[in-house]
Amino acid sequence: MDLGNVGWRKSSHSAGNGGECVELAAVPDSVAVRDSKDPEGGSLVLGRTDFRRFVGAIKEL
């Protein structure tokens, strides 16, 4: 999947000091996630249901 032209946005829960930053992009039927410090380093693309499960699991930590 080509993610070169999607609109990435930084998570509102990312640290403001430049560390631990996550960016999200809505793509058809999915959500892409990447590290804002390494935007060319690859992305994780999850279906919307799987993304909700992923976020729910992280919140339980």
Side-chain angles (χ1 to χ4, degrees):
M1 175 180 291
D2 179 18
L3 299 173
N5 293 322
V6 299
W8 292 94
R9 65 179 182 90
K10 190 176 291 189
S11 170
S12 61
H13 295 284
S14 291
N17 62 3
E20 299 181 10
C21 295
V22 174
E23 293 178 320
L24 306 174
V27 293
D29 300 317
S30 302
V31 177
V33 182
R34 73 178 181 184
D35 182 347
S36 64
K37 296 182 304 300
D38 188 15
E40 302 301 319
S43 303
L44 175 66
V45 179
L46 299 165
R48 293 183 187 274
T49 300
D50 290 332
F51 179 74
R52 283 190 286 277
R53 287 183 190 142
F54 174 70
V55 170
I58 290 171
K59 287 180 177 181
E60 291 179 8
L61 296 177

